[in-house]
């Protein structure tokens, strides 16, 4: 799987190969480096950058955990290790991390993993999660409201779609 996110002109992505890993490279493809591999992951289904603390967060579907590390791959730490069943997306904003597990969206403290709260329950096939806010997209819109957009996969057609009835707005 390829999930790319950028920070300081570097791309970060996950690789589900054997062994699974998180890598980074410059925007032109040079300076490619494996950051995390081995015991820390098996099936990293999504990756997020916390721009304020400069940490990478990932959710592992096989190990059923959420972990984070510094953007150079050091200081790996497990944040959540209970209650994860079938995760598919993660994002981070302010003091919280948000993730999709089965048909629900959860929120917890990004430092401790505590205070887990269900924000949306019984969503239809959520697969991806994003937070749109000026702090995450500094060149973006002037709308200061924070919200989630759930991207769903239509499994029958194998196409990615954003359907208006699948969008949820959640005030944080």
């Amino acid at each position: 799987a390829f999930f790319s996110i950028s920070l300081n002109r570097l791309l970060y992505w996950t690789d589900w190969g054997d062994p699974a890993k998180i890598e980074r490279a410059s925007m032109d493809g040079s300076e490619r480096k494996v950051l995390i591999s081995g015991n820390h992951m098996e099936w990293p289904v999504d990756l997020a950058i916390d721009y304020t603390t400069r940490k990478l967060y990932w959710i592992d579907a096989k190990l059923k955990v959420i972990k984070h590390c510094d953007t150079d791959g050091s200081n790996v730490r497990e944040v959540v290790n209970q209650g994860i069943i079938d995760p598919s997306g993660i994002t981070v904003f302010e003091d919280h991390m948000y993730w999709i597990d089965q048909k629900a969206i959860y929120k917890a403290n990004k430092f401790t993993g505590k205070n887990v709260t269900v924000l949306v329950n019984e969503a239809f096939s959520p697969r991806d999660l994003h937070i749109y806010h000026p702090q995450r997209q500094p060149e973006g819109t002037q709308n200061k409201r924070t919200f989630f957009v759930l991207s769903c996969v239509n499994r029958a057609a194998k196409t990615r779609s954003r359907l208006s009835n699948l969008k949820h707005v959640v005030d944080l």
Side-chain angles (χ1 to χ4, degrees):
F2 184 81
F3 303 102
S4 66
I5 46 184
S6 64
L7 176 69
N8 294 337
R9 303 192 52 83
L10 294 171
L11 290 174
Y12 295 83
W13 68 93
T14 64
D15 181 342
W16 296 357
D18 188 17
K21 56 189 164 274
I22 295 175
E23 296 184 71
R24 81 169 185 210
S26 296
M27 294 289 209
D28 65 0
S30 66
E31 301 179 46
R32 184 174 177 174
K33 179 180 178 187
V34 174
L35 299 177
I36 303 287
S37 185
N39 295 336
H40 295 295
M41 66 182 57
E42 290 286 331
W43 192 6
V45 294
D46 203 9
L47 182 66
I49 290 182
D50 182 350
Y51 294 98
T52 57
T53 63
R54 298 196 178 273
K55 299 244 182 239
L56 296 174
Y57 282 75
W58 69 93
I59 192 162
D60 192 299
K62 187 170 182 181
L63 298 177
K64 301 189 183 316
V65 297
I66 296 173
K67 294 185 179 186
H68 72 68
C69 67
D70 295 338
T71 54
D72 65 0
S74 64
N75 300 313
V76 175
R77 185 172 161 267
E78 199 168 87
V79 184
V80 175
N81 62 9
Q82 296 178 346
I84 297 174
I85 298 168
D86 184 22
S88 62
I90 188 167
T91 192
V92 180
F93 183 65
E94 293 182 336
D95 289 341
H96 297 95
M97 59 185 165
Y98 304 83
W99 69 94
I100 296 171
D101 194 359
Q102 294 182 311
K103 294 182 176 183
I105 299 174
Y106 295 88
K107 167 184 168 181
N109 181 287
K110 72 180 181 184
F111 303 106
T112 66
K114 299 201 182 303
N115 301 320
V116 176
T117 306
V118 177
L119 296 177
V120 176
N121 203 4
E122 295 300 318
F124 180 77
S125 192
R127 291 284 131 208
D128 204 3
L129 182 65
H130 299 276
I131 291 183
Y132 295 91
H133 188 275
Q135 289 177 351
R136 290 192 55 86
Q137 289 84 24
E139 301 299 319
T141 179
Q142 294 191 16
N143 183 355
K144 301 288 185 201
R145 187 170 183 196
T146 302
F147 59 93
F148 291 105
V149 175
L150 301 182
S151 300
C152 298
V153 175
N154 179 337
R155 293 178 191 212
K158 303 269 187 201
T159 58
R160 190 170 187 84
S161 63
R162 292 184 191 265
L163 304 174
S164 60
N165 64 334
L166 298 178
K167 291 183 181 177
H168 292 271
V169 176
V170 179
D171 286 320
L172 302 177

